[in-house]
Amino acid sequence: MAAVDQAHLFTFLCRMGDNTLVLGHRVSEWCGHAPVLEEDIALANTALDLIGQTQMWLGLAAKVEGKDRTADDLAMLRDVWDFRNVLLVEQPNGDFGQTIMRQFLFDAWHLAMLTALTKSTNADVAAIAAKSVKEVQYHVERAGDTVIGLGDGTTESHQRMQKALDLLWPYVGEMFVPDPVDDAMAAAGIAPDLTDLRGDYDALVASVLAQATLKTPEGSFAHKGGKSGFQHSEHLGHLLTQMQWLQRAYPGASW
Amino acid sequence: MYAQMVKSEATQEDPEMLAAFQARIDAGEKIEPKDWMPAGYRKTLIRQIGQHAHSEIVGQLPEGNWITRAPTLERKAILLAKVQDEAGHGLYLYCAAETLGVTRDEMTEMLLDGRMKYSSIFNYPTLTWADMGAVGWLVDGAAIMNQVPLQRTSFGPYSRAMIRVCKEESFHQRQGYAVMMKMAQGTPAQKAMAQNALNRLWFPSLMMFGPSDADSTHSVQSMAWKIKMNTNDELRQKFVDQTVPQAEYLGLTVPDETLNWNAEKGGYDFAEPDWDEFFEVITGNGPCNTERLAARNKAWDDGKWVRDGLLAHAQKRKMRKVAAE
């Protein structure tokens, strides 16, 4: 087992934490505006789980970095180019269909990833994954059921879900493309080989989309640049202006 | 106190049945949905529980306004949990009201077209992070004043909903106070923010109890039915007596120059809120009435395709199941 470069481990942990942070933030934007009361509760619950997971991932990232930063410092005081989340999670909420499709496409990956991470050689990573995976099993079940319900609902709901799928599908590929950080994690047994996750992912997504009577878009084009941090979408900066505003406006204050 | 100025319905039924009903209430029995009850009792409760439920739902908006700007991950998580609780309270309360023969959708429509009200307090804006503290401390604090006694209300489902709600509300109030404490002990800017929040929200919080009801015949009937457990003035006094020392502990100044401890009555003398402002707010002229109702209407209208889609799917599944059998 290769000793792992701590800078790579830090990047990997930021990727996990930034995914949950950015998606948790997006989902929390729905608060009070959902189509039905049960969805208000479910969306808040999902966001709450994701923010809780963020505290663990970024907390561990800060510890690994060893520069006296906290999870809050990482969340609130980095700028766009230092974020390592995939592009999918920073995409705007759109209508409810777009939100739930984004959730499902991410959850299905998240579940496969966390399941593999429960067997990580890094005990801290395995512990966070073990705690998170229980929550994410519920997320994927709920998002999948909702995709099926709306895909196989009315003509309008079907059309909206197909449109959401077509819009978001090009953001799926980035979650599975390994780079040197992923290779280092896999070599050290900390994280799985990302390409190994694709089979289960495709099977789950195909099953849900079939029940939802939705058509998987053709083509394998994938937008990239989020997890590497090279080129996020324009949306992320606006999200950060809200999320980080208090910490930026009143530096050094304790809340 | 999320129900304000709930009109009690006059009841004209068989005097013997009314007397027997009143005797059950006086004996401390719970009235359950299938029991006989006066039409006025039913209507008043629908109005009151509905108004309470709507307040929980609209109340998500002023706090939801800060979830995306919460200053730390922990504060964001706590605020999310709190707002989620409120949606849950709305759900219990709608369920309690449904046992009286009105559906949640009917009540929602009445909220959206203005036939039913929600608490005046949610028509005030939340402008700074300190407002998240002040809302928890003052608004939830005022709500608890009313809801704790309502755990003993005569209508079983309402009483049971209140028991669950109260457990969570006391956590909400404590977290609000904890936010205020942090601000009051923080930087000069944070302390100013905390004072500013108290200045804006003090009188609107006192308004939550509704105008003096000493002369109200509606209150008399509701109190006899144990739908209302205390007068508005009793609860307001209790709230002020509890809150003023808390403000002093925080080092904040209650924005009332007339505030004075009255040893004789064992409570504070304090200024009444501006009741003209209160009536303006409940008739639609509060600072945020338009936005709040527009937001709820938009959520309902935009969500129609979702509700219709899920319902259509459920029907399809049912039919497929029948066909398979």
Side-chain angles (χ1 to χ4, degrees):
Chain A
M1 199 66 53
V4 73
D5 180 333
Q6 294 297 290
H8 280 156
L9 179 58
F10 173 74
T11 301
F12 169 74
L13 294 167
C14 285
R15 286 176 181 177
M16 293 303 293
D18 289 346
N19 280 338
T20 52
L21 173 62
V22 172
L23 185 59
H25 183 99
R26 278 285 184 236
V27 174
S28 79
E29 291 172 0
W30 272 98
C31 184
H33 305 280
V36 65
L37 189 47
E38 283 80 354
E39 285 303 329
D40 264 317
I41 296 173
L43 289 164
N45 192 45
T46 304
L48 186 56
D49 287 345
L50 292 169
I51 297 303
Q53 293 170 19
T54 305
Q55 288 176 289
M56 296 189 285
W57 289 122
L58 293 186
L60 182 56
K63 194 174 123 192
V64 165
E65 187 192 39
K67 288 186 184 165
D68 270 350
R69 288 205 283 186
T70 63
D72 282 329
D73 292 337
L74 291 176
M76 302 296 175
L77 299 174
R78 284 177 300 157
D79 206 342
V80 166
W81 56 80
D82 281 331
F83 272 74
R84 292 290 178 269
N85 57 282
V86 291
L87 296 172
L88 175 66
V89 296
E90 70 196 42
Q91 297 310 303
N93 286 338
D95 66 6
F96 181 78
Q98 196 175 316
T99 291
I100 210 75
M101 184 59 80
R102 181 187 63 200
Q103 190 71 38
F104 173 67
L105 294 174
F106 177 75
D107 287 345
W109 174 84
H110 203 199
L111 180 64
M113 183 67 169
L114 290 171
T115 303
L117 290 179
T118 60
K119 299 182 202 93
S120 173
T121 54
N122 181 309
D124 291 331
V125 169
I128 296 173
K131 190 163 185 296
S132 307
V133 77
K134 292 178 201 146
E135 295 167 348
V136 172
Q137 266 158 354
Y138 164 74
H139 297 175
V140 76
E141 196 178 307
R142 170 185 165 267
D145 285 351
T146 312
V147 166
I148 292 168
L150 292 173
D152 182 39
T154 59
T155 308
E156 182 183 2
S157 73
H158 177 85
Q159 283 168 351
R160 283 177 182 261
M161 294 311 285
Q162 187 64 55
K163 200 173 149 201
L165 178 61
D166 294 345
L167 179 76
L168 296 171
W169 190 252
Y171 295 96
V172 165
E174 186 186 14
M175 297 188 285
F176 297 96
V177 181
D179 65 4
V181 171
D182 297 307
D183 293 342
M185 293 302 108
I190 291 172
D193 180 339
L194 289 180
T195 54
D196 288 348
L197 303 180
R198 189 74 204 234
D200 284 352
Y201 181 89
D202 284 343
L204 174 63
V205 169
S207 158
V208 166
L209 294 183
Q211 292 174 74
T213 69
L214 296 173
K215 198 166 161 280
T216 309
E218 285 168 13
S220 58
F221 172 74
H223 289 290
K224 288 189 279 292
K227 69 182 240 187
S228 70
F230 178 71
Q231 188 167 277
H232 280 278
S233 65
E234 290 180 347
H235 306 298
L236 183 61
H238 292 282
L239 184 153
L240 296 187
T241 59
Q242 262 197 7
M243 188 173 82
Q244 301 183 334
W245 179 73
L246 269 174
Q247 290 278 3
R248 300 285 192 183
Y250 300 92
S254 166
W255 305 90
Chain B
M1 164 99 32
Y2 289 163
Q4 294 161 318
M5 302 188 71
V6 176
K7 266 171 81 180
S8 190
E9 290 284 329
T11 272
Q12 296 172 333
E13 271 134 331
D14 178 353
E16 274 184 33
M17 288 180 86
L18 284 174
F21 180 78
Q22 190 62 49
R24 288 188 65 193
I25 288 180
D26 294 342
E29 280 182 44
K30 292 285 179 238
I31 307 301
E32 295 300 334
K34 288 185 177 161
D35 296 350
W36 183 85
M37 63 185 79
Y41 178 85
R42 185 185 299 276
K43 276 180 94 167
T44 307
L45 267 175
I46 289 176
R47 215 174 268 161
Q48 180 169 332
I49 301 174
Q51 195 180 115
H52 190 162
H54 296 328
S55 298
E56 300 281 359
I57 301 311
V58 178
Q60 293 181 93
L61 298 171
E63 290 186 297
N65 183 38
W66 277 91
I67 286 179
T68 54
R69 288 178 289 171
T72 68
L73 295 169
E74 188 186 7
R75 291 286 174 213
K76 196 197 266 302
I78 293 172
L79 192 56
L80 268 166
K82 178 175 191 287
V83 178
Q84 186 192 12
D85 283 349
E86 276 150 16
H89 297 172
L91 199 56
Y92 311 149
L93 287 160
Y94 283 129
C95 290
E98 282 187 317
T99 68
L100 292 161
V102 58
T103 67
R104 197 208 305 180
D105 283 1
E106 284 166 343
M107 283 183 281
T108 300
E109 296 285 357
M110 286 193 271
L111 166 70
L112 297 180
D113 67 19
R115 279 175 290 160
M116 285 184 91
K117 300 287 182 203
Y118 55 91
S119 178
S120 55
I121 191 70
F122 300 117
N123 289 313
Y124 288 86
T126 54
L127 301 178
T128 73
W129 175 251
D131 288 20
M132 293 303 96
V135 166
W137 172 38
L138 301 174
V139 174
D140 292 317
I144 292 170
M145 285 292 159
N146 179 48
Q147 289 168 6
V148 167
L150 275 176
Q151 293 177 105
R152 293 179 282 110
T153 187
S154 62
F155 186 55
Y158 193 24
S159 158
R160 291 188 287 275
M162 279 301 115
I163 290 169
R164 294 186 66 169
V165 166
C166 280
K167 282 185 192 150
E168 294 176 344
E169 289 290 356
S170 62
F171 151 74
H172 296 172
Q173 196 205 3
R174 279 202 302 275
Q175 74 81 31
Y177 196 70
V179 169
M180 285 310 266
M181 185 94 86
K182 203 84 178 166
M183 305 287 287
Q185 295 170 349
T187 64
Q190 284 176 303
K191 189 161 180 179
M193 224 184 267
Q195 182 63 52
N196 175 278
L198 179 58
N199 292 350
R200 278 181 289 108
L201 290 166
W202 173 255
F203 284 112
S205 299
L206 297 189
M207 290 176 195
M208 288 177 68
F209 299 96
S212 178
D213 52 5
D215 321 315
S216 164
T217 49
H218 298 307
S219 285
V220 172
Q221 177 63 81
S222 284
M223 286 179 78
W225 277 336
K226 293 191 186 164
I227 291 175
K228 190 178 168 86
M229 309 298 283
N230 305 84
T231 69
N232 296 348
D233 293 326
E234 279 167 9
L235 292 170
R236 187 166 19 247
Q237 181 72 52
K238 211 173 154 193
F239 173 75
V240 171
D241 293 344
Q242 174 186 290
T243 309
V244 169
Q246 294 172 343
E248 284 169 357
Y249 186 77
L250 292 170
L252 299 177
T253 308
V254 172
D256 176 358
E257 287 175 4
T258 69
L259 190 75
N260 186 42
W261 176 254
N262 179 333
E264 204 176 313
K265 77 171 181 184
Y268 287 91
D269 292 329
F270 57 90
E272 290 277 312
D274 177 351
W275 292 112
D276 291 339
E277 177 182 316
F278 171 77
F279 286 109
E280 287 294 341
V281 173
I282 60 168
T283 49
N285 293 325
C288 298
N289 295 56
T290 308
E291 287 99 320
R292 299 291 186 244
L293 267 186
R296 290 309 309 163
N297 271 289
K298 184 172 188 309
W300 189 245
D301 295 345
D302 289 355
K304 186 175 187 305
W305 73 267
V306 177
R307 297 189 301 276
D308 290 350
L310 294 175
L311 201 63
H313 176 71
Q315 280 160 354
K316 282 185 198 176
R317 278 181 56 161
K318 208 162 143 191
M319 283 166 70
R320 279 180 212 139
K321 206 176 157 207
V322 171
E325 276 165 3

